[in-house]
Amino acid sequence: RLDSALFLSSRERKENQHNSKFTTDHRSHPTGHMALLKKINQILLLLLVLTVCAILYNKVHQVPLALRNETVDLESPEEMEEEIPVVICAAAGRMGAAVAAISSIYSNTEANVLFYIVGLKTTIPHIRKWIENSKLKEIKFKVVEFNPMVLKGKIRQDASRPELLQPLNFVRFYLPLLIQKHEKVIYLDDDVIVQGDIQELYDTKLAPGHAAAFSDDCDLPSTHEMVRSVGMQNTYMGFLDYRKQAIRDLGISPSTCSFNPGVIVANMTEWKHQRITKQLEKWMQRNVEENLYSSTLGGGVATSPMLIVFHGKYSSINPMWHIRHLGWSPDARYSEQFLQEAKLLHWNGRYKPWDYPSVHTDLWENWFIPDPSGKFKLTRERLKYTVQIILTKNI
């Protein structure tokens, strides 16, 4: 008990000492707190004075931004420059066409071009490797996969020119689904070469309410002789079957000049507002049911629905930005001087410049870049190789 009393007494003494110390600290705390607040106030006052001085200095010595000689941290000119989106398809068996077209565009402009290269799932790896392992690796591009299922039930089988039924031939109908952020878009067929600055084509003015601009088939007298020589139609009669009531009900004269949708400058806002894609799909489905047009006519199953939907509602492209029909005959030729002045050449028709026979192939081959993988070869190269083998065996 005594030990316990001593323990308690000792503990009580310690507690008393602690309480006494706490009481002393507690009493001295207000003085320390006041000193700290005073120091903080002094620092804040100093910062306020410095801020006011800086504002007054800037007002007195301010120089207009345009006259300053210093570097201003704004967007770089390239970032401020408007992108020019160009859509080109890369189809199996003719991928070299897309490469040559891209090469010609990139080499003839200083503009900020963004290429949208559209392909099917099976062809995308090939075109991507081709670009990344050639001198085109410097271009800005996006590879977009096109799902052919969107065309289910909308294409009538046609044995005349089956290549025109390939899914990528209808990519131009679905531009708003592939291109999201751009107001204005250029679409080009793959069998073209651009000799001018693509900026000029992009600057094409579209009239209010027009969703697209095309090149009329009657717009350039220099091409009329070519059209006559190959027996090609350049009116609606050559594309639509006027024996069908649905076509006659459109009220479009069969002698109306047609246009070629291989080169398009499109306004995406108007395209979506007018539901152009839905209108085109409607006529595709009607053709499946009623056979309103076919490739045996003008040779364009993708052209006919566009002629219907855009009739009287499109702007015009400078004719020199779409010199076409280079692929309609293996013999008929334009003058070299005329072709040199052209801004864009289009080998629409059966006779392609990577194939044989064809005309003006030198103008196309200037921009062709060989396939690093060796999968795509020009037909002329294959023929030359075959002839060499035959000659070697005969020797």
PDB file of all heavy atoms in Angstrom, residues 320 334-342:
ATOM      1  N   MET A 320      -9.744  22.921-115.974  1.00  0.00           N
ATOM      2  CA  MET A 320      -8.359  22.456-116.033  1.00  0.00           C
ATOM      3  C   MET A 320      -7.987  21.607-114.826  1.00  0.00           C
ATOM      4  O   MET A 320      -6.938  20.967-114.812  1.00  0.00           O
ATOM      5  CB  MET A 320      -7.408  23.641-116.161  1.00  0.00           C
ATOM      6  CG  MET A 320      -7.567  24.436-117.459  1.00  0.00           C
ATOM      7  SD  MET A 320      -7.400  23.392-118.943  1.00  0.00           S
ATOM      8  CE  MET A 320      -5.632  23.092-118.936  1.00  0.00           C
ATOM      9  N   TYR A 334      -4.416  13.300-126.161  1.00  0.00           N
ATOM     10  CA  TYR A 334      -4.442  14.759-126.145  1.00  0.00           C
ATOM     11  C   TYR A 334      -3.088  15.278-126.621  1.00  0.00           C
ATOM     12  O   TYR A 334      -2.092  14.540-126.626  1.00  0.00           O
ATOM     13  CB  TYR A 334      -4.683  15.279-124.723  1.00  0.00           C
ATOM     14  CG  TYR A 334      -6.082  15.097-124.182  1.00  0.00           C
ATOM     15  CD1 TYR A 334      -6.345  14.155-123.182  1.00  0.00           C
ATOM     16  CD2 TYR A 334      -7.135  15.876-124.646  1.00  0.00           C
ATOM     17  CE1 TYR A 334      -7.621  14.001-122.659  1.00  0.00           C
ATOM     18  CE2 TYR A 334      -8.418  15.725-124.135  1.00  0.00           C
ATOM     19  CZ  TYR A 334      -8.652  14.789-123.145  1.00  0.00           C
ATOM     20  OH  TYR A 334      -9.912  14.637-122.643  1.00  0.00           O
ATOM     21  N   SER A 335      -3.030  16.578-126.972  1.00  0.00           N
ATOM     22  CA  SER A 335      -1.742  17.168-127.317  1.00  0.00           C
ATOM     23  C   SER A 335      -0.895  17.298-126.057  1.00  0.00           C
ATOM     24  O   SER A 335      -1.425  17.533-124.957  1.00  0.00           O
ATOM     25  CB  SER A 335      -1.934  18.549-127.959  1.00  0.00           C
ATOM     26  OG  SER A 335      -2.303  19.504-126.989  1.00  0.00           O
ATOM     27  N   GLU A 336       0.400  17.157-126.209  1.00  0.00           N
ATOM     28  CA  GLU A 336       1.304  17.243-125.059  1.00  0.00           C
ATOM     29  C   GLU A 336       1.242  18.619-124.406  1.00  0.00           C
ATOM     30  O   GLU A 336       1.318  18.748-123.184  1.00  0.00           O
ATOM     31  CB  GLU A 336       2.739  16.915-125.489  1.00  0.00           C
ATOM     32  CG  GLU A 336       2.947  15.471-125.932  1.00  0.00           C
ATOM     33  CD  GLU A 336       2.624  14.476-124.826  1.00  0.00           C
ATOM     34  OE1 GLU A 336       2.904  14.802-123.647  1.00  0.00           O
ATOM     35  OE2 GLU A 336       2.085  13.396-125.139  1.00  0.00           O
ATOM     36  N   GLN A 337       1.108  19.666-125.233  1.00  0.00           N
ATOM     37  CA  GLN A 337       1.046  21.021-124.691  1.00  0.00           C
ATOM     38  C   GLN A 337      -0.183  21.194-123.804  1.00  0.00           C
ATOM     39  O   GLN A 337      -0.112  21.786-122.717  1.00  0.00           O
ATOM     40  CB  GLN A 337       1.017  22.049-125.821  1.00  0.00           C
ATOM     41  CG  GLN A 337       0.982  23.496-125.330  1.00  0.00           C
ATOM     42  CD  GLN A 337       0.944  24.494-126.466  1.00  0.00           C
ATOM     43  OE1 GLN A 337       1.087  24.127-127.629  1.00  0.00           O
ATOM     44  NE2 GLN A 337       0.743  25.769-126.137  1.00  0.00           N
ATOM     45  N   PHE A 338      -1.320  20.658-124.260  1.00  0.00           N
ATOM     46  CA  PHE A 338      -2.559  20.762-123.486  1.00  0.00           C
ATOM     47  C   PHE A 338      -2.417  20.040-122.144  1.00  0.00           C
ATOM     48  O   PHE A 338      -2.825  20.562-121.093  1.00  0.00           O
ATOM     49  CB  PHE A 338      -3.714  20.170-124.286  1.00  0.00           C
ATOM     50  CG  PHE A 338      -5.016  20.149-123.539  1.00  0.00           C
ATOM     51  CD1 PHE A 338      -5.677  21.321-123.228  1.00  0.00           C
ATOM     52  CD2 PHE A 338      -5.578  18.935-123.140  1.00  0.00           C
ATOM     53  CE1 PHE A 338      -6.884  21.294-122.528  1.00  0.00           C
ATOM     54  CE2 PHE A 338      -6.772  18.902-122.448  1.00  0.00           C
ATOM     55  CZ  PHE A 338      -7.431  20.084-122.144  1.00  0.00           C
ATOM     56  N   LEU A 339      -1.824  18.857-122.167  1.00  0.00           N
ATOM     57  CA  LEU A 339      -1.660  18.092-120.926  1.00  0.00           C
ATOM     58  C   LEU A 339      -0.692  18.763-119.965  1.00  0.00           C
ATOM     59  O   LEU A 339      -0.846  18.652-118.747  1.00  0.00           O
ATOM     60  CB  LEU A 339      -1.183  16.670-121.250  1.00  0.00           C
ATOM     61  CG  LEU A 339      -2.198  15.790-121.995  1.00  0.00           C
ATOM     62  CD1 LEU A 339      -1.607  14.412-122.250  1.00  0.00           C
ATOM     63  CD2 LEU A 339      -3.504  15.668-121.214  1.00  0.00           C
ATOM     64  N   GLN A 340       0.311  19.442-120.481  1.00  0.00           N
ATOM     65  CA  GLN A 340       1.250  20.143-119.611  1.00  0.00           C
ATOM     66  C   GLN A 340       0.562  21.285-118.875  1.00  0.00           C
ATOM     67  O   GLN A 340       0.928  21.624-117.750  1.00  0.00           O
ATOM     68  CB  GLN A 340       2.432  20.689-120.427  1.00  0.00           C
ATOM     69  CG  GLN A 340       3.376  19.629-120.973  1.00  0.00           C
ATOM     70  CD  GLN A 340       4.044  18.805-119.883  1.00  0.00           C
ATOM     71  OE1 GLN A 340       4.321  19.297-118.797  1.00  0.00           O
ATOM     72  NE2 GLN A 340       4.307  17.541-120.190  1.00  0.00           N
ATOM     73  N   GLU A 341      -0.438  21.884-119.502  1.00  0.00           N
ATOM     74  CA  GLU A 341      -1.155  22.997-118.883  1.00  0.00           C
ATOM     75  C   GLU A 341      -2.211  22.522-117.888  1.00  0.00           C
ATOM     76  O   GLU A 341      -2.674  23.303-117.046  1.00  0.00           O
ATOM     77  CB  GLU A 341      -1.834  23.843-119.968  1.00  0.00           C
ATOM     78  CG  GLU A 341      -0.850  24.536-120.904  1.00  0.00           C
ATOM     79  CD  GLU A 341      -1.544  25.197-122.080  1.00  0.00           C
ATOM     80  OE1 GLU A 341      -2.782  25.028-122.200  1.00  0.00           O
ATOM     81  OE2 GLU A 341      -0.861  25.876-122.875  1.00  0.00           O
ATOM     82  N   ALA A 342      -2.581  21.266-117.971  1.00  0.00           N
ATOM     83  CA  ALA A 342      -3.626  20.726-117.101  1.00  0.00           C
ATOM     84  C   ALA A 342      -3.158  20.676-115.649  1.00  0.00           C
ATOM     85  O   ALA A 342      -1.993  20.415-115.359  1.00  0.00           O
ATOM     86  CB  ALA A 342      -4.026  19.338-117.572  1.00  0.00           C
TER      87      ALA A 342
END
